[in-house]
Amino acid sequence: MQTIDARGAFCPGPLMELIAALKLSAIGDQIEILSSDKGSAADVPEWVAKVGHKMVGVTDKGDHWSIIVEKAK
Amino acid sequence: MAKNILIVGGGLAGTIVANGLCRQLAPQLRSGEVVITMLGTTETHMYQPGLLYVPFGRIREHELFRDQRKVLDRRVIFHVDPAKHIEVAKNQVSTEGGRTLKYDYLVLATGSRIMPQSIPGMAEGAHWFYDLEGARKLRDALSKFEGGKIIVNANAPHKCPVAPLEVTFMLYDYFKGKGLLDKCEITYTYPIGRLHALEPVALWAKPEFDRLGIKYETFFNTEKVDPEAKTITSAEGVTMPYDLLVTIPPHQGAQVIVDSELGKGGWVPTNTKTLHRDGSTNVFVVGDTTNIPISKAGSTAHFEADVLIDNLASLLTENRMARDYDGKVFCFIETGTSTGTYVWFNYTTPPNPGPPSQMVHWFKLAYNRLYWLSAKGLL
């Protein structure tokens, strides 16, 4: 599984990194994104639901979040 | 035995590194202890941020270009001979022209490229300004445009993260100047749930768009463009009609990186502080080529290059690294055709843009010429 460490990344930020990575992935691939931006725990699942990918999980790691997404289309 | 530094890529990042190393390693270059070679793809060096001004007739095309040999320190051996295969296991690079170059230290500065062809219909139905041909076509389209629906459409990933906002504000001013505002409807689309990746910039832009009557559609990732029906559709399921579509196409890294299996999409996995290629001790990555999750921008390339110059010079003369890259990025933001602001941040300091002013805009115009001093490693 590919992991993108976007902790402390102000621009382009965790969701933009995830979108870019998914474009280079195959259907069924899972990507983990690490984010220290509290907004990511909400906006990543919101976007994933809009597009129709699959949320595998959001885990609060204390000082950051681990968000795992599966490419579904 | 001379130490060979090979720089692949003649854009801003590679050029600053080459020129900076020449300054720091002058005695070693004179004695022949160090040799610096660059592989480029063209004879000319282009000031890429200047492309933004081409559609609006606010920069002359000749101002964008200089002879790369004149931008480079004359001690750099420069070949217009693109790299064809990079073999890090053998410390060598082969070229399209048939050369095979061995190196002691390799700098990957192969940059990024627009990929409108990666989205169905985009190349046929959209305009852009991220290359000269596209900027010229957009200039021609604008000169004939008499009003209608304009969509400014940003796609991930892209370099110069503020360009989508800048071109939107500049289009507004352009139509206002031509007396066409009442016949124009500008809509801005963005891949994530706000108007810009940088939250403070997004918070600033929203009331500005509301004040100017610029519409916006967030969570919009282009799935297809229909050039016949003149519609654009997002992966999120929104379809909008357009009369003029100005896109910021998705980008990828260089094909040679993909072909050499150095990184998916042409982005090379890179240490965020040392700029080493992951898994290498003598291969460094700089500029758009890295997979570091920060802005792909000229200033990023510049600040990374400054660190890399110090580290390479220290490695060659003292066998140690000098310092870490701190993630610094600085971007001017044009907020129209007569005002601008700027933003800077690093890995630990969040951005905090100030209010737009004429003075910052004028400084940006001055920088359009000062750029050549940056490329020469003097600024």
Side-chain angles (χ1 to χ4, degrees), chain B residues 12 24 50 71 81 91 119 122 127-128 191 197 222 224 253 330:
Chain B
L12 180 62
Q24 292 213 17
V71 178
D81 189 4
N91 292 335
I119 293 178
M122 180 174 276
H127 284 87
W128 57 83
T222 313
K224 63 181 177 183
F330 175 102

Side-chain angles (χ1 to χ4, degrees), chain B residues 142-298:
Chain B
L142 281 174
S143 70
K144 293 171 192 157
F145 195 69
E146 294 176 343
K149 294 180 186 297
I150 303 106
I151 293 179
V152 179
N153 161 243
N155 293 279
H158 64 264
K159 65 182 164 188
C160 196
V162 295
L165 281 177
E166 289 181 302
V167 78
T168 305
F169 287 120
M170 291 172 81
L171 282 165
Y172 178 91
D173 276 5
Y174 176 85
F175 292 129
K176 186 179 178 184
K178 290 190 82 172
L180 286 172
L181 260 190
D182 58 342
K183 294 178 184 168
C184 292
E185 178 188 281
I186 302 175
T187 303
Y188 169 97
T189 77
Y190 204 68
I192 64 172
R194 57 186 186 227
L195 297 182
H196 193 264
L198 290 167
E199 191 172 19
V201 174
L203 291 173
W204 163 80
K206 189 172 182 297
E208 283 296 296
F209 275 15
D210 290 338
R211 181 174 68 83
L212 300 174
I214 297 170
K215 297 183 172 183
Y216 38 84
E217 181 76 30
T218 55
F219 283 131
F220 192 101
N221 289 277
T222 313
E223 187 169 81
K224 63 181 177 183
V225 174
D226 185 335
E228 299 297 322
K230 288 201 159 188
T231 58
I232 180 169
T233 299
S234 72
E236 293 81 359
V238 175
T239 296
M240 293 190 292
Y242 70 84
D243 296 297
L244 178 67
L245 175 59
V246 181
T247 193
I248 287 79
H251 285 55
Q252 283 191 17
Q255 190 62 41
V256 67
I257 299 295
V258 179
D259 294 344
S260 304
E261 299 181 352
L262 291 175
K264 220 175 183 182
W267 316 121
V268 179
T270 305
N271 184 286
T272 56
K273 293 180 178 175
T274 66
L275 305 177
H276 279 110
R277 169 188 173 262
D278 286 353
S280 293
T281 55
N282 66 337
V283 180
F284 292 91
V285 195
V286 65
D288 290 356
T289 315
T290 79
N291 76 335
I292 300 175
I294 55 172
S295 311
K296 295 197 180 299

